[in-house]
Amino acid sequence: MDTLRIFDTTLRDGEQSPGFSMTPEEKIRLAEQLDEMGADVIEAGFPIASAGDLDAVRAVAGRVRRARVAALARAAQADVDAALRGLEPAARPRVHVFLATSDIHLEHKLRMSRGQALDQIARMVRYARERAPEVEFSAEDASRSDPEYLAEVALAAVEAGATIINLPDTVGYSTPEEYGAMFRRIAEKLAGRGVVLSAHCHNDLGLAVANSLAAVAAGARQVECTINGIGERAGNASLEELAVAIAVRSERFGVRTNVKLEKIYATSRLLTEITGVAVPPNKAVVGANAFAHEAGIHQDGILKNPLTYEIISPEALGVPARRLVIGKHSGRNALRARFEELGCPLEGETLQDAYREVMELADRAKTVSDRDLLRIAIRARRIAPPGAVHGEAAEAKQAAAGGMA
Ligand code: KIV
Ligand code: ZN
């Protein structure tokens, strides 16, 4: 089975979004965690952007030993020089050169012709490759670029020494079908050249993960993503969603990753702790509700066999524990299990009385806390007739009445 390389850009594309800036020390902490988690490439920053960014890239490059460390550079000599300086301490450096290839960017942002951009890309990729062991080229706004021109650019970048070609959906505009088709076309043009194609998707239409997976199905063997899906505007494809989708549906995608799934939750929490920005509770994989169950039917299924409502276990991702949330949709079985977990087991009529009280409270309040549950359980035990707490009285009554349910 092929290995899909995970290129983490939390420290670059993620960090450049509002509210997510990090100090060099925080970047090092996160980079070490990403390395331990199994990211194949860690993009540490954009060294030409500021002296601070250059220092941070140097610091990360000096610390990470296993993963490759990448630094971003526009296709300009000063940018590539800054990236090379940032990567000096790296054990496995990668210069990541980019230039936009869509007409809208060429005309309005770069004020360049297609021919000028093509020359500059070839010159700067060659310049970088003469000074670094590995060069990736990104055709910014690839998904809105003319397909023929994009193919010409990709070929020129490869002939100049790039071994990884990234085709970003920079503005999150593509659909899975379109994005996959672009990868198929470029893969055909570059066949036999030993090039790794890379996907880099933004989430403006909420399609970043779906588009990345469509690229993988079309032959991409690197995906660029961020922890918690942070990044420009609506964010980048979320690393944890991609890694778990690939693991859960490996038979569908025919690839594996080097990500240690059990480190995913801790990595997500570390980013939250560093930036102070929490993930929404319903976020896939790492949200607080990702493994919480409130509906009675779901809770009953989970208690009988977790596979009924979970496609991967929380333990496999390092999530502390599955939560059975007690609310107005919960059933008696879940309440019995929760009382047991809280050290206050109840059965029979006592459980029934407590259940009624919990449901009344749940109707009034949004959630029922463990404190509420304990208060209700202790009171129920106190007022229960002798022997009723564990259901003996109820069972005896039922037996006398002619049988057990
Ligand atoms: O979104 C994008 O196109 C980028 C490139 C610089 C890779 O972030
Ligand atoms: Zn991006």
Side-chain angles (χ1 to χ4, degrees):
M1 198 180 269
D2 277 2
T3 298
L4 176 68
R5 297 184 195 170
I6 298 291
F7 177 118
D8 179 278
T9 183
T10 308
L11 299 176
R12 197 279 295 170
D13 220 336
E15 204 249 356
Q16 73 192 41
S17 57
F20 288 98
S21 64
M22 296 174 226
T23 64
E25 293 69 36
E26 289 168 340
K27 282 188 165 193
I28 291 170
R29 258 178 90 198
L30 192 59
E32 285 179 339
Q33 176 71 20
L34 290 166
D35 197 25
E36 233 176 82
M37 188 197 65
D40 299 286
V41 187
I42 297 171
E43 186 163 55
F46 187 22
I48 194 75
S50 70
D53 226 27
L54 172 61
D55 289 347
V57 171
R58 281 187 75 89
V60 169
R63 212 57 93 78
V64 171
R65 272 11 252 155
R66 190 197 56 81
R68 291 175 159 79
V69 177
L72 187 66
R74 285 166 300 188
Q77 194 172 320
D79 280 46
V80 175
D81 287 339
L84 290 166
R85 264 202 307 285
L87 292 172
E88 266 162 14
R92 306 173 80 191
R94 176 185 294 182
V95 178
H96 180 188
V97 178
F98 79 100
L99 198 72
T101 51
S102 66
D103 288 334
I104 189 163
H105 278 236
L106 288 172
E107 279 169 31
H108 300 283
K109 185 182 82 175
L110 300 174
R111 298 184 202 286
M112 265 182 170
S113 69
R114 287 186 181 183
Q116 285 170 323
L118 188 71
D119 282 353
Q120 190 157 327
I121 289 163
R123 264 191 304 112
M124 285 303 116
V125 168
R126 188 165 298 110
Y127 180 82
R129 182 61 191 88
E130 282 162 4
R131 290 158 180 81
E134 192 170 62
V135 177
E136 169 171 339
F137 173 72
S138 284
E140 191 190 10
D141 209 16
S143 54
R144 293 194 300 169
S145 301
D146 173 66
E148 285 304 314
Y149 177 62
L150 183 64
E152 226 185 303
V153 165
L155 192 57
V158 169
E159 282 175 348
T163 49
I164 305 104
I165 296 292
N166 182 35
L167 306 174
D169 184 27
T170 302
V171 290
Y173 176 76
S174 217
T175 66
E177 292 74 18
E178 289 167 350
Y179 199 58
M182 177 175 70
F183 276 78
R184 267 183 217 100
R185 278 194 305 271
I186 299 295
E188 210 173 286
K189 295 273 183 204
L190 301 180
R193 292 175 179 269
V195 173
V196 172
L197 291 185
S198 174
H200 177 117
C201 297
H202 282 266
N203 209 26
D204 300 68
L205 296 177
L207 292 173
V209 169
N211 283 340
S212 304
L213 293 173
V216 172
R221 288 297 174 265
Q222 176 179 281
V223 283
E224 307 194 357
C225 43
T226 58
I227 296 298
N228 297 343
I230 69 168
E232 283 283 352
R233 305 180 309 279
N236 288 63
S238 135
L239 184 151
E240 56 278 5
E241 292 176 26
L242 281 171
V244 172
I246 294 290
V248 170
R249 302 302 307 275
S250 60
E251 90 297 347
R252 178 82 185 73
F253 295 107
V255 292
R256 55 169 295 281
T257 74
N258 290 321
V259 172
K260 295 185 183 126
L261 295 184
E262 69 279 11
K263 304 262 181 203
I264 279 190
Y265 185 72
T267 312
S268 161
R269 294 306 294 250
L270 177 62
L271 179 64
T272 298
E273 185 200 312
I274 287 174
T275 60
V277 184
V279 296
N282 62 327
K283 164 89 171 65
V285 181
V286 291
N289 289 352
F291 293 96
H293 307 273
E294 184 184 324
I297 294 170
H298 291 211
Q299 292 179 330
D300 188 45
I302 285 284
L303 289 167
K304 288 173 176 151
N305 182 343
L307 290 175
T308 52
Y309 287 100
E310 283 176 357
I311 55 171
I312 188 164
S313 76
E315 299 82 34
L317 306 176
V319 176
R322 164 183 309 118
R323 284 194 310 134
L324 294 186
V325 179
I326 301 302
K328 64 179 179 181
H329 306 107
S330 304
R332 248 171 304 260
N333 279 348
L335 188 62
R336 179 194 289 114
R338 190 77 196 114
F339 280 145
E340 244 172 61
E341 280 169 11
L342 292 171
C344 247
L346 297 182
E347 289 290 346
E349 279 180 17
T350 320
L351 173 66
Q352 181 59 28
D353 291 344
Y355 178 71
R356 227 176 281 120
E357 198 177 339
V358 169
M359 287 304 114
E360 277 168 24
L361 176 61
D363 259 340
R364 282 181 275 120
K366 278 207 171 75
T367 51
V368 179
S369 69
D370 284 352
R371 263 179 79 184
D372 292 327
L373 290 177
L374 274 171
R375 179 177 50 74
I376 291 169
I378 289 165
R379 207 169 72 88
R381 290 166 74 108
R382 211 173 43 232
I383 62 173
V389 166
H390 291 101
E392 298 92 327
E395 281 159 17
K397 221 192 288 173
Q398 272 176 320
M404 298 288 289

